[in-house]
Amino acid sequence: MKGILVIDGNQGFCELISTLCGDLGLKATCFLSFEKAIAEISLGDYDCIFMELDLQGIDGPQAIGIMTGMCLNVPVILMSGEHASILSTAQYAGKMRGLNIVSTIAKPFSVDELSSLIQDAADRQQQLEGQQPAAPREKVENLRPGEVIRLVEAGHLQCVFQPQIDLNTRNVCGVEVLARIDHPEQGVITPDRFVNELENCSLIEVFNEYLFNHSFKAYKAFGRPDLTISINISAYCIRNELFPDFISTLAKQYDISPSKVILEITESHGLNFSAQSLMIMSRVRIKGFSLSIDDFGTGYSSLETFSKVPFNELKVDREFTSRLRAEERAKKIFELAINLSKQMGIVSVAEGIEDEEEASLVAAIGCDVGQGYYFGRPMPSEKFMEWLNWELKEAPWKQVSI
Ligand code: G
Ligand code: G
Ligand code: MN
């Protein structure tokens, strides 16, 4: 153990933390300001840094900015007596810039809380010391729209299927289709490397024609007309006068009830409130299809969209699900989204559920449907059919009393 570095303007606090560290067999080095600590910090030779946000001179958030420039990977713990939201924003911003902020602690705290934080930091550091640093990720180019279409036409479009669970009955109730390109040289490519460019040009329509056919065909093969099928569409579709008839004709051709088809729209550039696109969305609803607002709460999603577009489902972004447990603010926003759905009389879906605790938590808040790795990852159609059989009898979430 190399020891702990403490930056706090309060002499008494520095003494307390030194004593606690001493009891745990750790050495603490304390500084009353960031300026005084900076030379030591740059050596990076500590197991952990405890830093107060409200410092004289260079304050905590500024200090975070300076530390990110130093490329440190020492774990940092932020402390503050300010409102919890300030602490969690500072943590979030620091992490975004690559600083290893492992936790925050609101003052005043008990000696026990502090001791367990110090112990955790020491344990974590010991684990890390045995590990190789991660290899830097190679920068990969996005696929050009023309190339995507060429690959799709050559049969390289893959669809994977992720289950959705009714949180009241705990049975599967739907499936979301996610597109992949199986690239001959680069392997499986996810939509973050091709969808944006494609959505900005008319080739998205060619892509969608393949995608819808592929998805509907697989859906029929599942032999589960009770499930809904959710497909991601882009703003481009709902500016196209031909889209309502296209989707309607296709559903008839595959003998699929429109009431089982949910079209997910992510707000991004391009979703506008022109009379034309509002009319197209209304026509899609009149023909019996559902419209879902995807990734709600992040990016471009706004209450304006919500108030103008005829959505009948809201999917809360997985960002909120993952922060629900640790962050009171994320939980409040989650609750707001669920209450809003209830008031509007529409279905709510939580994305990104990764364990039972998250599943129970979102269900307790009143969310209707759950989706995430806990229930099932996106799977190729054959795997999904096996999953459906397994789900009927063995799924662990059915054993949980609700
Ligand atoms: O697993 P994944 O990386 O597939 O999905 C990332 C995002 O890509 C999803 O949130 C979804 O919005 C988008 N996406 C996935 N499949 C499609 C698709 O077929 N069409 C469009 N327009 N977007 C998709
Ligand atoms: O359309 P949309 O944003 O909902 O796409 C879902 C995306 O989220 C896909 O990229 C999918 O692979 C990913 N995803 C689905 N479930 C989970 C989960 O439990 N955890 C994480 N981290 N990602 C998930
Ligand atoms: Mn989606």
Side-chain angles (χ1 to χ4, degrees):
M1 288 296 297
K2 293 175 281 191
I4 287 181
L5 191 142
V6 183
I7 312 162
D8 195 298
N10 182 321
Q11 181 77 43
F13 179 79
C14 289
E15 284 160 15
L16 169 72
I17 206 165
S18 298
T19 313
L20 285 176
C21 287
D23 292 347
L24 293 166
L26 300 169
K27 179 170 171 287
T29 310
C30 302
F31 293 93
L32 294 170
S33 71
F34 185 74
E35 288 87 331
K36 293 201 176 103
I38 201 161
E40 278 290 329
I41 293 173
S42 62
L43 296 174
D45 204 18
Y46 284 90
D47 292 309
C48 172
I49 297 175
F50 273 79
M51 184 172 76
E52 163 65 48
L53 272 186
D54 191 0
L55 293 169
Q56 296 294 315
I58 294 176
D59 61 32
Q62 286 176 307
I64 289 172
I66 296 168
M67 286 196 278
T68 30
M70 293 177 179
C71 300
L72 295 175
N73 56 20
V74 181
V76 177
I77 295 171
L78 298 179
M79 309 177 285
S80 174
E82 301 285 348
H83 193 273
S85 63
I86 301 176
L87 202 50
S88 79
T89 298
Q91 176 183 25
Y92 192 72
K95 279 178 144 176
M96 272 173 72
R97 297 182 62 179
L99 196 64
N100 184 15
I101 303 181
V102 290
S103 48
T104 60
I105 180 162
K107 288 180 178 175
F109 42 71
S110 69
V111 169
D112 284 351
E113 281 175 282
L114 186 59
S115 302
S116 78
L117 263 186
I118 297 172
Q119 193 64 59
D120 285 353
D123 293 348
R124 198 177 298 114
Q125 199 54 18
Q126 241 160 16
Q127 277 173 9
L128 282 180
E129 269 160 19
Q131 289 172 7
Q132 298 276 349
R137 289 241 315 240
E138 272 179 55
K139 170 111 184 64
V140 283
E141 299 274 317
N142 287 349
L143 296 185
R144 291 185 314 280
E147 192 183 359
V148 176
I149 298 304
R150 190 179 55 78
L151 287 165
V152 168
E153 287 178 340
H156 295 276
L157 172 69
Q158 273 188 355
C159 287
V160 286
F161 300 86
Q162 187 174 35
Q164 297 182 328
I165 305 295
D166 179 325
L167 293 172
N168 286 309
T169 63
R170 295 244 166 178
N171 294 322
V172 59
C173 62
V175 57
E176 179 177 358
V177 185
L178 296 155
R180 303 281 182 265
I181 299 286
D182 185 13
H183 195 285
E185 284 108 46
Q186 304 178 26
V188 176
I189 298 180
T190 48
D192 52 319
R193 284 187 52 208
F194 61 84
V195 157
N196 275 352
E197 280 100 333
L198 204 58
E199 281 185 341
N200 286 331
C201 74
S202 57
L203 288 177
I204 187 75
E205 291 175 359
V206 181
F207 178 83
N208 274 337
E209 195 161 337
Y210 277 94
L211 180 90
F212 277 103
N213 272 292
H214 206 119
S215 309
F216 281 177
K217 203 161 155 190
Y219 176 76
K220 287 304 277 189
F222 299 156
R224 287 288 300 267
D226 56 312
L227 305 183
T228 57
I229 175 166
S230 297
I231 304 179
N232 294 281
I233 62 167
S234 55
Y236 207 99
C237 299
I238 46 183
R239 275 185 273 147
N240 179 354
E241 295 276 4
L242 302 175
F243 183 72
D245 287 327
F246 160 74
I247 173 94
S248 204
T249 308
L250 204 65
K252 278 202 191 85
Q253 197 181 316
Y254 283 91
D255 190 27
I256 293 172
S257 164
S259 67
K260 294 297 179 192
V261 180
I262 303 173
L263 304 169
E264 295 189 5
I265 307 174
T266 306
E267 281 198 281
S268 58
H269 40 264
L271 181 55
N272 58 39
F273 309 109
S274 66
Q276 188 197 20
S277 47
L278 293 175
M279 216 66 97
I280 292 170
M281 290 188 269
S282 310
R283 286 175 56 211
V284 167
R285 284 296 309 282
I286 286 168
K287 291 181 186 298
F289 298 93
S290 290
L291 283 181
S292 174
I293 179 165
D294 201 2
D295 305 330
F296 186 75
T298 60
Y300 296 79
S301 74
S302 74
L303 296 173
E304 186 192 11
T305 324
F306 205 73
S307 71
K308 292 185 175 166
V309 175
F311 287 116
N312 53 345
E313 180 184 277
L314 177 153
K315 293 185 85 172
V316 188
D317 193 77
R318 65 168 187 265
E319 161 120 21
F320 294 99
T321 310
S322 65
R323 289 165 54 198
L324 203 57
R325 241 178 314 207
E327 282 183 54
E328 196 54 30
R329 273 197 302 181
K331 185 164 179 228
K332 291 274 178 269
I333 291 164
F334 195 97
E335 287 168 348
L336 179 86
I338 303 303
N339 288 339
L340 184 63
S341 324
K342 289 205 185 306
Q343 302 220 348
M344 299 268 185
I346 68 176
V347 176
S348 52
V349 182
E351 299 181 321
I353 295 180
E354 296 193 353
D355 54 36
E356 176 54 44
E357 197 182 340
E358 282 174 354
S360 322
L361 211 58
V362 303
I365 295 172
C367 184
D368 304 311
V369 176
Q371 182 177 344
Y373 293 169
Y374 174 53
F375 300 120
R377 291 188 175 244
M379 298 166 254
S381 58
E382 317 78 61
K383 274 265 167 334
F384 182 69
M385 287 201 262
E386 288 170 20
W387 181 95
L388 284 172
N389 278 326
W390 168 84
E391 187 267 351
L392 274 178
K393 23 189 205 293
E394 290 175 61
W397 51 87
K398 298 197 181 181
Q399 269 76 55
V400 178
S401 56
I402 43 175

